[in-house]
Amino acid sequence: MQIGSCTDRSGDAMVDLHSTSSTPAQQPTARTELPSATDRGTDAPREWGLVGRYLPDPSLRYTKVAFAGPTFPRVVAMTLASFVAVAMVVVPLVQLAATRAPSWWTLAVVPGVALCLELWRPLRARWHELRHKLPFWWAIRTVDIGLERAVPQPGTLLRYEIHLTARRPIELQSLQVRLVFWEGWLARTRLRWLRIPYRTTEKIGHDLSRHQVHSLRVPKGEHAVVRGALPVPLGRPSEHHRGKTKHLSYLNVTVTLSTGRAGLETHRGNCPHLITFPWI
């Protein structure tokens, strides 16, 4: 048994899916012609819509994937560190203004100012990421990704299913399923003001193929299902950073949700899922 769907893509009307008997589609061979690189960004999934419940496909392996982004304890720890840095500046200055006599605490002003400047940009970025993550975590919490159990071969199609359950009503501007190629390496950098050297992980990625659904409204307790197949490249994508320290290449299937209304800020949430290819 497999779930069928009926969707009006020209508008926002969604028709409930129903259970229908069907045979699994035959997997294309390595000679299957794939869409050109310019067309992959506009491809639509095979079917999508709302269902009261869904029947898992036994040929797929399902995984619960959480939304990426900083954890709340980490953001709180960085916030407390910034408060300490501000206190290192404010307390000695207040004491100096009250007593009119310098003390050893006055020396804490210089590292306090430098620490405030160092923490300002990363703390602002973490709160920005957390603010974009919270609406999806509050309404959906996790996304179920179903991928083929067999290792995908170059030149074939990678079948997928995306299932999400709305714990609270949510209206999505778009839902994207992306096959992303990533490169990561270990870089050496310094703090902007304190000039203390440290190592950090840099990474850059680009989409190999992408499917997109527009205007998906999910009422409370309902399931949204997106089903399709992403084209797998025939060859290994070009690597532009090979040779750097601890260089690493990998792929993942990323589900990107966007929500928001016209004229308001758009929130984006990413659910990456690491996969293995023969040429990785």
Side-chain angles (χ1 to χ4, degrees):
M1 299 290 291
Q2 188 177 351
I3 303 174
S5 68
C6 180
T7 305
D8 181 10
R9 297 183 180 177
S10 61
D12 294 337
M14 309 299 298
V15 180
D16 288 351
L17 302 181
H18 57 277
S19 299
T20 59
S21 60
S22 61
T23 56
Q26 184 177 1
Q27 293 303 306
T29 62
R31 296 181 180 179
T32 301
E33 295 183 1
L34 300 179
S36 62
T38 57
D39 296 334
R40 291 177 184 175
T42 59
D43 288 343
R46 185 172 67 248
E47 53 191 39
W48 57 282
L50 300 179
V51 293
R53 64 186 181 92
Y54 62 86
L55 303 176
D57 187 341
S59 64
L60 303 180
R61 179 183 290 107
Y62 294 89
T63 306
K64 286 188 177 294
V65 182
F67 286 90
T71 60
F72 187 75
R74 182 176 181 181
V75 175
V76 171
M78 293 188 64
T79 304
L80 293 177
S82 65
F83 285 159
V84 172
V86 171
M88 293 173 62
V89 177
V90 174
V91 172
L93 294 180
V94 172
Q95 183 181 11
L96 179 63
T99 61
R100 303 290 181 178
S103 64
W104 289 105
W105 288 104
T106 309
L107 299 177
V109 174
V110 176
V113 171
L115 190 58
C116 287
L117 296 175
E118 291 293 346
L119 291 176
W120 167 247
R121 293 180 63 182
L123 181 62
R124 182 182 178 184
R126 296 297 178 272
W127 273 109
H128 181 75
E129 294 174 2
L130 183 63
R131 184 163 52 86
H132 279 264
K133 173 185 175 180
L134 283 179
F136 303 104
W137 183 86
W138 179 255
I140 299 175
R141 186 68 63 88
T142 58
V143 173
D144 289 348
I145 299 179
L147 298 176
E148 285 185 294
R149 294 181 177 274
V151 177
Q153 299 298 317
T156 61
L157 297 176
L158 173 63
R159 291 192 304 120
Y160 69 83
E161 286 187 4
I162 307 298
H163 302 273
L164 55 91
T165 304
R167 300 166 62 243
R168 292 170 180 81
I170 186 171
E171 181 176 351
L172 300 177
Q173 278 187 344
S174 66
L175 185 153
Q176 296 181 359
V177 184
R178 302 181 294 142
L179 181 62
V180 191
F181 177 73
W182 288 95
E183 289 184 82
W185 64 92
L186 195 63
R188 184 180 179 87
T189 185
R190 291 178 178 270
L191 295 177
R192 186 176 181 183
W193 298 96
L194 299 180
R195 307 307 299 169
I196 299 176
Y198 69 98
R199 290 190 175 274
T200 183
T201 301
E202 301 285 346
K203 65 177 183 178
I204 186 171
H206 63 274
D207 294 355
L208 300 179
S209 56
R210 179 174 68 241
H211 287 171
Q212 182 167 340
V213 171
H214 297 282
S215 300
L216 181 62
R217 297 185 181 93
V218 188
K220 180 179 179 180
E222 291 292 332
H223 299 270
V225 178
V226 178
R227 184 180 292 109
L230 293 169
V232 179
L234 287 170
R236 185 185 184 95
S238 300
E239 296 177 284
H240 304 287
H241 302 276
R242 177 172 289 276
K244 293 188 177 181
T245 305
K246 294 187 177 180
H247 179 270
L248 179 66
S249 300
Y250 61 96
L251 284 97
N252 62 29
V253 173
T254 301
V255 180
T256 301
L257 306 180
S258 300
T259 184
R261 297 181 179 178
L264 301 178
E265 183 181 12
T266 300
H267 295 275
R268 291 172 60 88
N270 294 308
C271 294
H273 179 56
L274 184 67
I275 57 178
T276 302
F277 271 39
W279 36 256
I280 289 295

